[in-house]
Amino acid sequence: VGLLDLELNQLTKALFLALVALSVVMVTLQGFVGPWYRNLFRFLLLFSYIIPISLRVNLDMGKAAYGWLIARDEHMPGSAVRTSTIPEELGRLLYLLSDKTGTLTQNEMIFKRLHLGTVSYGTDTMDEIQSHISSSYSQVPHFINYSPLISGEKPKPHQGPESSCCWALGGLSSAPLPRGSSLQAIHSQEGRSGTGGEALGAEHNEPFTLQLCPFLPLQVALVQWTESVGLTLVTRDLTSMQLKTPGGHILTYYILQIFPFTSESKRMGIIVRDESSGEITFYMKGADVAMSTIVQYNDWLEEECGNMAREGLRTLVVAKKSLTEEQYQDFESRYNQAKLSIHDRNLKVAAVVESLEREMELLCLTGVEDQLQADVRPTLEMLRNAGIKIWMLTGDKLETATCIAKSSHLVSRTQDIHIFRPVTTRGEAHLELNAFRRKHDCALVISGDSLEVSTCFVSSSSSAQRYYEHELVELACQCPAVVCCRCSPTQKAHIVKLLQHHTGKRTCAIGDGGNDVSMIQAADCGIGIEGKEGKQASLAADFSITQFKHIGRLLMVHGRNSYKRSAALGQFVMHRGLIISTMQAVFSSVFYFASVPLYQGFLMVGYATIYTMFPVFSLVLDQDVKPEMALLYPELYKDLTKGRSLSFKTFLIWVLISIYQGGILMYGALLLFESEFVHVVAISFTALILTELLMVALTIRTWHWLMVVAEFLSLGCYVASLAFLNEYFGEAESELGAGLPWPAALPLVPADVAFITTVTFLWKVSAITLVSCLPLYILKYLKRKFSPPSYSKLTS
């Protein structure tokens, strides 16, 4: 349910109270004569048009129209609307929480750096690795032990246990020369069959094309790099894989176990057996924060991870562990037994796997670059100018997240950055908050764990402990940008809920992967990007786009128009019911507070449908500025977040307009048509329809040809009704009874066509309509002249 619907619900409650109050007043003025309680319910029914029953229908149809316009926008190809209830939320957003990989970046990984502990290779020295691999195969063809690294396989000369996986060749200290397309990457490769179990060529010396699954770009980049340096993945199924060496030899490995990646473990593993030597090896790759406690002691991993992260590269640590046959059999037995457990199965399985993840041999560190999407910088600048505060939530390490934030201009390169140090206790959180409080106008960089620790003290009822959560969120909201790194999916959703709880503002979350689903669903408005990680985020979101740059048009144009149109439409529908209820109240008051309907049921149905529906609904096509102007001046979006288009102030203005016009229409009919009052229905209803059509024209800011058609179509339908359905325009049947006063000059006769076509009828109806509408046109002109809205300066 969107904020606009909640606001309209509040206004509808106010209208209900007005309905009850008006009915009680009428019964009171009537003097509580006779069965007054029955008269009370009659008045409730007569004035029930105060409650806009058609409001929900018109708004839902409008929302469907907004969704159709978004999906058909040629500037946002591939966009989809997966909700029919909250398009107006796009115009009320104050916080945008964005994922990084695949959202701000292209998720097209390019292998940039390889570090082997004693030597580092970049893009300009990759040819050295290729030449070393080629020469190693030609020099020691019978001693090479080919191992499928969790990524994409790497060769390692077999020189006995003393040299384990390292070999020296021409000064190249290469742990299995990694190409790490990670076990998931290998697992995702497909052959010609859908299962990936067939070779890609009938003969291994035939040319073939490696097909890579599109939703694993990191693994794909690693596999492609392996192929570029001479080792090619030929085929891969659930039980085995084959590699092709530079010399054309095919090497086969049997897959014994696979341990998939999870957002909690941040790593994945695989156990393989070499067909030629029978050796069993456990390979693992993962984030440095997870792998640093698993690998053997080293003095370079942390430093090199920081160096790569500062270059904006995504790091991946690869390690291995050799297993004897007995060790593997023991592990397999415990592993299978854990998987059969009924209670705490996941915990037991994880415990068994962790028994292997000890003192693993560090093989290498890889760095992969993920370039920014097109037009990310101008889009972020547009959103900031629109008053939207942007938070970047990512699972990457602090240095990488900070680098991407600077390169995308989310954080200015000259802007101060406050890095919230990791905290584990309430005292540390208090010290960090004090340090943060002393800084002004600086971007905040904080890890998901630190944020969680700093806000977890709210678990108790102590107000002092609740202070930490409130102050941290309050200080963070004052920052021009916030970067949350090392965030798990659960922490991302937690941050969204924190903002909603402490600010009360509307939040939007955008992401492209399954790990963003919880964040998207927790936000008031979720936007999914159809990227290379599948459609999980897209299907779980309220709106789907194909590129991050489309969010600018989605919010500045479609969100802004949807909110302003629905606000105008909702208030006009309320006005349509209020004005006719005012006329009914005046009519009943004139005739001794009689609870008699002014118009027959057919007219009331036609009033809300064929006579006024098309012009009123055409407001969904209205716009105050052109889309190009809305994109050029995103500052116009700021006014929407204040909710001024629909508020109790604007609602009261429409109530006053309705009371004024209803009174003028009814009293005008009494005054000008005193001698022909037998035709009061035709007189007042004609003036009412003309007034509504003119009020629609007064509300419209930019005319669309469909609006003109709707106005004349409705007017034509009404004129035809006067001609062919004149019996409905006679005075309503009297239900008062013989005991109540009723003017003898009001016989129940149909409207006279001859009278309706007279000049007297036409000019008097025109006069009533003019008096009801002309002052409003004058007031609108004066307001635009002396207090113009912000958008009017752009349309002049």
Side-chain angles (χ1 to χ4, degrees):
V1 179
L3 182 58
L4 181 81
D5 293 319
L6 297 177
E7 292 172 341
L8 288 173
N9 285 347
Q10 297 298 322
L11 298 181
T12 306
K13 293 174 184 176
L15 290 175
F16 173 75
L17 295 177
L19 167 63
V20 175
L22 181 59
S23 301
V24 172
V25 168
M26 296 299 287
V27 173
T28 303
L29 294 175
Q30 198 179 50
F32 292 99
V33 295
W36 64 268
Y37 54 88
R38 181 164 50 182
N39 289 334
L40 175 63
F41 281 101
R42 289 172 66 91
F43 279 121
L44 286 173
L45 291 176
L46 286 177
F47 300 140
S48 62
Y49 293 98
I50 291 178
I51 306 297
I53 303 299
S54 61
L55 176 60
R56 187 76 265 156
V57 177
N58 281 273
L59 284 179
D60 286 345
M61 291 174 61
K63 294 172 190 289
Y66 306 148
W68 185 83
L69 292 173
I70 293 174
R72 294 291 299 271
D73 192 337
E74 60 182 11
H75 296 93
M76 300 190 308
S79 301
V81 179
R82 308 195 188 279
T83 180
S84 60
T85 56
I86 58 171
E88 299 89 359
E89 290 291 89
L90 295 171
R92 309 289 297 276
L93 301 177
L94 200 63
Y95 290 95
L96 176 66
L97 299 100
S98 173
D99 180 39
K100 181 183 75 68
T101 305
T103 303
L104 298 179
T105 62
Q106 300 178 18
N107 209 7
E108 292 183 356
M109 308 298 180
I110 302 175
F111 192 85
K112 288 290 187 178
R113 193 171 296 281
L114 171 68
H115 201 286
L116 302 173
T118 58
V119 63
S120 177
Y121 293 92
T123 53
D124 54 341
T125 55
M126 291 299 179
D127 54 334
E128 296 182 21
I129 299 178
Q130 183 176 5
S131 61
H132 285 309
I133 289 179
S134 300
S135 60
S136 66
Y137 280 105
S138 62
Q139 292 177 13
V140 286
H142 302 294
F143 299 99
I144 296 295
N145 174 25
Y146 307 100
S147 310
L149 185 54
I150 174 172
S151 64
E153 295 36 79
K154 335 183 221 181
K156 104 176 142 93
H158 180 62
Q159 297 179 353
E162 66 280 3
S163 62
S164 68
C165 69
C166 292
W167 50 296
L169 181 62
L172 173 66
S173 173
S174 93
L177 269 172
R179 183 22 346 199
S181 119
S182 86
L183 117 72
Q184 234 184 12
I186 299 177
H187 188 64
S188 302
Q189 306 310 317
E190 290 189 317
R192 287 177 178 170
S193 70
T195 62
E198 298 180 7
L200 297 176
E203 298 295 338
H204 294 309
N205 56 1
E206 291 182 4
F208 57 88
T209 302
L210 183 63
Q211 300 178 356
L212 304 177
C213 284
F215 51 84
L216 295 167
L218 175 59
Q219 289 81 354
V220 167
L222 299 176
V223 173
Q224 289 177 336
W225 181 84
T226 307
E227 182 178 2
S228 69
V229 296
L231 283 175
T232 305
L233 180 64
V234 177
T235 183
R236 164 78 164 82
D237 56 29
L238 294 178
T239 59
S240 65
M241 68 179 73
Q242 289 184 331
L243 304 178
K244 185 177 181 181
T245 68
H249 300 291
I250 299 299
L251 310 173
T252 302
Y253 301 89
Y254 299 111
I255 300 174
L256 304 180
Q257 298 290 346
I258 290 177
F259 312 112
F261 175 87
T262 65
S263 57
E264 289 76 21
S265 66
K266 294 183 174 61
R267 56 186 180 271
M268 61 180 68
I270 185 173
I271 300 178
V272 295
R273 186 195 300 272
D274 188 352
E275 181 190 42
S276 59
S277 65
E279 288 187 356
I280 300 175
T281 310
F282 172 40
Y283 289 98
M284 176 163 284
K285 80 173 178 98
D288 60 285
V289 66
M291 298 292 292
S292 59
T293 59
I294 294 175
V295 300
Q296 297 173 354
Y297 172 78
N298 61 86
D299 57 359
W300 58 273
L301 179 60
E302 182 178 356
E303 179 182 358
E304 290 302 324
C305 284
N307 293 337
M308 291 188 185
R310 280 185 284 274
E311 297 178 21
L313 303 180
R314 301 189 62 182
T315 57
L316 197 65
V317 180
V318 183
K320 78 155 210 175
K321 186 175 186 179
S322 298
L323 303 176
T324 64
E325 188 68 32
E326 292 76 14
Q327 288 175 325
Y328 175 72
Q329 293 300 331
D330 175 64
F331 166 80
E332 185 179 35
S333 175
R334 292 184 290 113
Y335 188 65
N336 292 334
Q337 184 177 0
K339 289 195 295 184
L340 295 176
S341 299
I342 298 177
H343 302 291
D344 299 327
R345 179 183 304 161
N346 293 336
L347 293 176
K348 293 179 180 179
V349 169
V352 174
V353 175
E354 287 176 4
S355 66
L356 279 185
E357 301 172 347
R358 297 172 182 171
E359 292 298 312
M360 298 190 69
E361 182 180 354
L362 177 59
L363 297 179
C364 67
L365 176 65
T366 63
V368 178
E369 181 185 40
D370 189 5
Q371 296 180 340
L372 291 174
Q373 286 194 21
D375 296 330
V376 163
R377 295 185 181 95
T379 301
L380 291 176
E381 183 68 21
M382 178 194 303
L383 295 176
R384 275 197 298 270
N385 292 337
I388 299 176
K389 296 185 177 181
I390 306 166
W391 290 31
M392 185 175 77
L393 313 181
T394 177
D396 286 348
K397 62 186 306 175
L398 186 146
E399 292 83 2
T400 306
T402 305
C403 181
I404 295 298
K406 288 183 177 180
S407 62
S408 64
H409 293 180
L410 174 63
V411 176
S412 172
R413 294 186 180 274
T414 59
Q415 193 172 53
D416 291 337
I417 298 178
H418 176 77
I419 299 178
F420 204 92
R421 293 185 306 162
V423 295
T424 56
T425 65
R426 188 173 63 184
E428 293 178 356
H430 182 70
L431 292 175
E432 273 300 306
L433 282 174
N434 288 336
F436 183 30
R437 192 185 301 110
R438 288 191 293 268
K439 294 189 176 182
H440 301 282
D441 194 33
C442 66
L444 173 64
V445 179
I446 185 172
S447 68
D449 291 338
S450 296
L451 183 63
E452 189 169 6
V453 169
S454 300
T455 59
C456 71
F457 306 115
V458 76
S459 58
S460 73
S461 60
S462 170
S463 59
Q465 291 172 326
R466 290 180 180 272
Y467 172 79
Y468 289 96
E469 180 182 84
H470 177 75
E471 186 184 19
L472 178 58
V473 176
E474 183 180 16
L475 291 173
C477 290
Q478 296 174 3
C479 296
V482 177
V483 177
C484 297
C485 57
R486 293 300 191 196
C487 282
S488 66
T490 305
Q491 289 170 339
K492 290 183 178 182
H494 177 61
I495 293 171
V496 174
K497 293 175 182 177
L498 276 178
L499 279 176
Q500 293 172 335
H501 176 69
H502 287 278
T503 66
K505 305 298 183 181
R506 312 311 282 177
T507 59
C508 175
I510 180 171
D512 72 314
N515 60 334
D516 302 316
V517 170
S518 57
M519 172 180 68
I520 288 173
Q521 293 181 335
D524 298 301
C525 178
I527 301 177
I529 295 181
E530 268 189 45
K532 295 179 172 58
E533 294 189 19
K535 294 186 177 183
Q536 282 180 290
S538 171
L539 295 175
D542 303 305
F543 304 91
S544 175
I545 56 179
T546 55
Q547 296 183 57
F548 182 81
K549 66 178 181 180
H550 293 161
I551 194 175
R553 188 176 183 87
L554 184 65
L555 302 187
M556 301 301 113
V557 177
H558 294 287
R560 186 171 183 275
N561 287 340
S562 297
Y563 170 60
K564 295 183 77 70
R565 290 167 176 173
S566 287
L569 177 62
Q571 292 177 118
F572 204 96
V573 172
M574 290 181 180
H575 157 75
R576 188 172 61 182
L578 280 169
I579 187 174
I580 203 166
S581 296
T582 302
M583 295 176 68
Q584 176 68 56
V586 173
F587 176 78
S588 297
S589 300
V590 168
F591 295 110
Y592 309 101
F593 307 103
S595 54
V596 174
L598 173 61
Y599 302 122
Q600 296 187 51
F602 174 81
L603 292 184
M604 299 305 297
V605 173
Y607 172 68
T609 54
I610 59 175
Y611 298 147
T612 61
M613 190 196 110
F614 295 115
V616 172
F617 186 71
S618 68
L619 291 174
V620 301
L621 299 174
D622 190 23
Q623 61 181 19
D624 51 3
V625 296
K626 295 181 179 180
E628 295 76 16
M629 283 293 180
L631 293 172
L632 186 60
Y633 298 98
E635 292 80 6
L636 293 172
Y637 189 89
K638 289 183 180 180
D639 293 338
L640 275 62
T641 59
K642 301 174 183 177
R644 293 176 176 172
S645 298
L646 177 64
S647 63
F648 272 99
K649 177 182 177 181
T650 59
F651 169 69
L652 291 176
I653 291 175
W654 277 106
V655 170
L656 294 176
I657 291 174
S658 303
I659 294 174
Y660 166 76
Q661 291 185 327
I664 290 295
L665 293 176
M666 204 64 233
Y667 279 113
L670 290 171
L671 180 65
L672 296 181
F673 291 92
E674 184 175 359
S675 58
E676 300 96 358
F677 200 66
V678 63
H679 303 298
V680 62
V681 172
I683 295 166
S684 60
F685 200 77
T686 301
L688 173 63
I689 297 300
L690 293 176
T691 296
E692 286 298 282
L693 296 181
L694 289 175
M695 286 300 296
V696 171
L698 178 66
T699 306
I700 291 174
R701 290 160 294 196
T702 303
W703 283 89
H704 189 279
W705 67 270
L706 286 175
M707 296 176 177
V708 179
V709 171
E711 290 268 312
F712 284 101
L713 178 63
S714 296
L715 183 60
C717 289
Y718 180 70
V719 172
S721 298
L722 283 175
F724 298 103
L725 301 174
N726 56 78
E727 67 273 12
Y728 289 100
F729 292 88
E731 182 54 61
E733 294 184 4
S734 173
E735 301 179 16
L736 295 175
L740 294 178
W742 184 257
L746 282 181
L748 306 178
V749 297
D752 186 358
V753 177
F755 167 73
I756 294 174
T757 55
T758 61
V759 176
T760 301
F761 172 83
L762 294 177
W763 83 259
K764 288 186 177 181
V765 168
S766 300
I768 294 174
T769 306
L770 189 63
V771 173
S772 69
C773 293
L774 183 60
L776 299 179
Y777 273 84
I778 295 175
L779 289 175
K780 181 178 180 180
Y781 170 78
L782 293 177
K783 182 180 179 181
R784 288 183 63 91
K785 185 174 182 64
F786 296 105
S787 180
S790 56
Y791 64 84
S792 63
K793 300 176 182 178
L794 305 178
T795 57
S796 59

